[in-house]
Amino acid sequence: MMDRKMQRIVVAVIAVILIITMILTLVAPALAADDVSRTPKGVTIGAVDVSGMSLEEAEAAVKEFAESMEASVLTVEAGGQEFTIPIKDLGFTWDNPDVVKDAARLGVSGNLISRYKVKKDIETGGHRLSIDRSYDAQSIRSFISDIGKSVYVAPVSCKLSFNGTTPYVSDGASGLRIDEDAAFSRLMVYLTSGWQEGDPYVSLTTEVLPPTGDKEELAKIRDNIGSGETDAVGSNDERMKNIRNAMRLISDTMLYPGESFSTLEKLVPFTAENGYELAHSYEEGAVVDTYGGGICQVSTTLYQAVMAAELAVDERVNHSMIVSYVEPSMDAAISEEGGKDFVFTNNTDAPIYIKGYVAGTVLHFDIYGLETRPENRKVVYRPEVLSKVSAPDNFTEDPEKPVGYIRLDQDPHEGVAAEVYKEVYVDNVLESNDWYNASEYSMSPARYTIGTAGADESLLTALRTAFETESLEMVYRVLAEHNITYKMTTAEAEAATARTASGEVNP
């Protein structure tokens, strides 16, 4: 007889055999019905139901569906507009064409238990395999960029306007844009996993852009806190055109508290393309024609307004030679090549607005802001000349021109040293008198061309002796003593006459 241990082993083996027999009894009928050459019932690939299809039939059906996806047209809605593009133009690629073989292997690979479980799961809830696809990221970004340009509406800034000389603030308007990075992510997710069938359609969210400009801050601009004015009388057409162009470039400038303004940066480049003409300017103690000649009168006029407004002057340089349109040391020169600039900062607690215009030959700047200075306070800038050096007359002979011909080629400029004091009066009583700036201007002689054609030896000797005195008056005297009728002209007038004669300028 078997002992108890052996009996237990035999019982266990019999139990296992019975369990396996029971499983085979349950599973075998289901597996026996399998046709491994066809896709199981309840399987879809993408939106294609491939239940019971042969491998060839399933491959053909899924391929046709993938091709229909590639032939679809994407529609994107953004900002109330619709934009379309063929899916193929986005670089559509079907990445898993072997998915049909994967579907055919469902429930027919693995052990009996796992195969049975897969079959039951498919029968219960079906099984979907995806059609994996990818796209060209750059093509999608380009498409989104085009949408962004079409949808974009720039916000309209709250704007300072004028009713005559009274400033007021007009309301701005909101703008619209799309976040292109967020739009790219949304579109990629939708096209790779969200879109299953039919023509794809997706909406992109837009972002409202609030009006620019701080209306409350701009409303502080209500007072004229400083004005400046100079007269460009005697300027030729080229110089006046440069002045008007520079005034236009500076006018309507807004500076918030703490912001600085560089006149040079606002006006460069000094080129014909930027609206400038050749005109007289100072360069190393001489008068030369340069593009933008005359714009220093614009920076000087602005300097007058800045001084009146008592803004902080960060950089100011005087001209190399004295100018006629302001008192000494009241000018501000600019020069790109010479490194001269006029820079100032809004040191008030409110924005300032610069408005400039030209009326006839008069240049005028107004600076608007918030007036906080008491009405009984007055500022006066008093220039004081410290020394002067008179300018001599220099002469050049021209043997091609007749005796009596005199042409002024360059005006004289005295050498001057000067400074300015800032006087503050309260109730018309001087409260302070502070040094403000200092300037030194180089002396530059008057330059004349004198005709000597036809002069005899005696007259020629007398003229050369007069030249050495560096006095035009002595030249006049010599010509009068020799009964020579003389006539003064200028290089500029002579050039204008030549242009008229050639037809360049209508008389």
Side-chain angles (χ1 to χ4, degrees):
M1 294 185 64
M2 292 184 293
D3 57 20
R4 291 183 179 275
K5 181 177 181 180
M6 182 58 68
Q7 288 178 348
R8 287 197 296 270
I9 292 173
V10 171
V11 171
V13 170
I14 293 172
V16 169
I17 292 172
L18 289 174
I19 291 172
I20 292 174
T21 301
M22 290 174 62
I23 291 174
L24 289 175
T25 301
L26 294 172
V27 174
L31 296 180
D34 284 346
D35 182 354
V36 296
S37 65
R38 294 188 174 276
T39 307
K41 298 286 186 180
V43 175
T44 59
I45 300 176
V48 181
D49 186 352
V50 293
S51 299
M53 290 186 181
S54 67
L55 181 62
E56 292 77 11
E57 291 171 340
E59 285 180 340
V62 174
K63 180 181 179 183
E64 181 180 0
F65 180 75
E67 289 174 348
S68 72
M69 294 186 81
E70 184 178 17
S72 298
V73 174
L74 168 67
T75 300
V76 173
E77 185 279 327
Q81 303 181 60
E82 288 189 345
F83 307 87
T84 60
I85 187 173
I87 285 293
K88 64 180 180 180
D89 290 352
L90 298 179
F92 176 92
T93 301
W94 180 19
D95 292 334
N96 62 335
D98 290 337
V99 65
V100 177
K101 295 177 181 178
D102 295 336
R105 284 194 290 268
L106 290 172
V108 297
S109 61
N111 58 48
L112 289 175
I113 303 300
S114 64
R115 287 162 61 192
Y116 178 75
K117 184 177 184 306
V118 169
K119 284 289 187 181
K120 284 300 181 183
D121 288 343
I122 293 174
E123 289 175 3
T124 302
H127 190 82
R128 178 186 292 272
L129 296 172
S130 65
I131 294 180
D132 296 339
R133 60 266 187 189
S134 59
Y135 302 85
D136 178 60
Q138 187 56 46
S139 296
I140 291 180
R141 286 198 178 275
S142 179
F143 178 52
I144 291 173
S145 177
D146 290 340
I147 293 174
K149 291 173 184 176
S150 297
V151 169
Y152 179 75
V153 176
V156 177
S157 176
C158 298
K159 185 179 180 181
L160 187 72
S161 302
F162 285 83
N163 182 8
T165 58
T166 303
Y168 67 93
V169 182
S170 58
D171 290 330
S174 298
L176 196 69
R177 67 179 289 270
I178 62 171
D179 183 333
E180 294 190 11
D181 288 336
F184 174 78
S185 297
R186 169 149 174 68
L187 204 52
M188 285 294 284
V189 170
Y190 172 74
L191 289 176
T192 55
S193 58
W195 171 40
Q196 297 301 326
E197 59 182 321
D199 284 326
Y201 186 98
V202 64
S203 293
L204 300 179
T205 57
T206 54
E207 176 186 358
V208 175
L209 302 175
T212 55
D214 189 325
K215 186 174 181 179
E216 185 177 339
E217 279 294 295
L218 292 179
K220 294 179 181 178
I221 303 175
R222 56 175 182 261
D223 306 304
N224 186 331
I225 62 173
S227 297
E229 189 171 282
T230 65
D231 197 336
V233 62
S235 297
N236 60 22
D237 290 343
E238 291 78 14
R239 189 174 190 273
M240 286 305 303
K241 181 175 181 180
N242 290 336
I243 286 172
R244 285 190 290 269
N245 188 52
M247 293 289 285
R248 175 186 61 82
L249 292 172
I250 293 175
S251 188
D252 300 321
T253 294
M254 181 85 68
L255 292 180
Y256 283 85
E259 289 186 337
S260 296
F261 178 85
S262 164
T263 309
L264 186 63
E265 289 181 4
K266 195 73 172 180
L267 299 182
V268 292
F270 300 128
T271 61
E273 292 74 17
N274 200 27
Y276 293 108
E277 298 273 354
L278 286 170
H280 290 344
S281 63
Y282 293 162
E283 186 175 296
E284 297 181 355
V287 178
V288 297
D289 281 342
T290 59
Y291 278 103
I295 56 172
C296 285
Q297 185 162 353
V298 175
S299 59
T300 293
T301 309
L302 182 58
Y303 183 41
Q304 310 305 300
V306 167
M307 293 169 69
E310 297 183 80
L311 302 179
V313 176
D314 306 310
E315 184 178 344
R316 170 261 169 193
V317 185
N318 58 274
H319 288 76
S320 59
M321 296 185 294
I322 200 76
V323 295
S324 60
Y325 44 83
V326 289
E327 294 294 318
S329 212
M330 296 285 283
D331 60 321
I334 59 173
S335 170
E336 186 174 17
E337 293 183 357
K340 296 180 180 180
D341 197 3
F342 171 45
V343 182
F344 61 92
T345 297
N346 177 9
N347 58 349
T348 74
D349 294 328
I352 62 172
Y353 182 83
I354 303 170
K355 192 173 183 62
Y357 61 88
V358 179
T361 59
V362 176
L363 290 66
H364 188 97
F365 273 113
D366 290 313
I367 297 177
Y368 292 89
L370 179 63
E371 183 60 85
T372 58
R373 296 168 294 185
E375 291 184 5
N376 64 340
R377 181 181 179 276
K378 183 176 71 173
V379 175
V380 175
Y381 293 92
R382 178 175 56 82
E384 182 177 321
V385 175
L386 304 178
S387 63
K388 286 187 176 182
V389 178
S390 60
D393 299 326
N394 289 352
F395 305 95
T396 301
E397 296 180 28
D398 187 347
E400 301 296 324
K401 298 294 184 181
V403 173
Y405 171 86
I406 303 174
R407 184 182 71 212
L408 173 63
D409 298 316
Q410 178 177 298
D411 289 320
H413 297 270
E414 290 183 313
V416 175
E419 56 190 10
V420 172
Y421 286 85
K422 178 181 178 180
E423 299 176 344
V424 177
Y425 293 84
V426 176
D427 291 325
N428 294 319
V429 176
L430 181 64
E431 184 179 75
S432 63
N433 182 20
D434 299 318
W435 180 90
Y436 190 73
N437 73 26
S439 305
E440 290 189 6
Y441 305 91
S442 301
M443 180 277 293
S444 180
R447 301 185 187 278
Y448 296 92
T449 295
I450 308 296
T452 58
D456 58 24
E457 193 63 31
S458 173
L459 175 56
L460 193 56
T461 299
L463 282 174
R464 288 172 177 170
T465 301
F467 294 165
E468 292 177 358
T469 67
E470 297 186 327
S471 170
L472 181 63
E473 183 62 33
M474 293 303 295
V475 173
Y476 286 157
R477 185 178 300 179
V478 167
L479 293 173
E481 289 174 352
H482 286 74
N483 297 316
I484 303 296
T485 300
Y486 53 85
K487 183 179 180 181
M488 171 71 74
T489 186
T490 64
E492 188 169 308
E494 196 170 85
T497 301
R499 290 198 299 272
T500 302
S502 67
E504 294 180 33
V505 179
N506 293 324

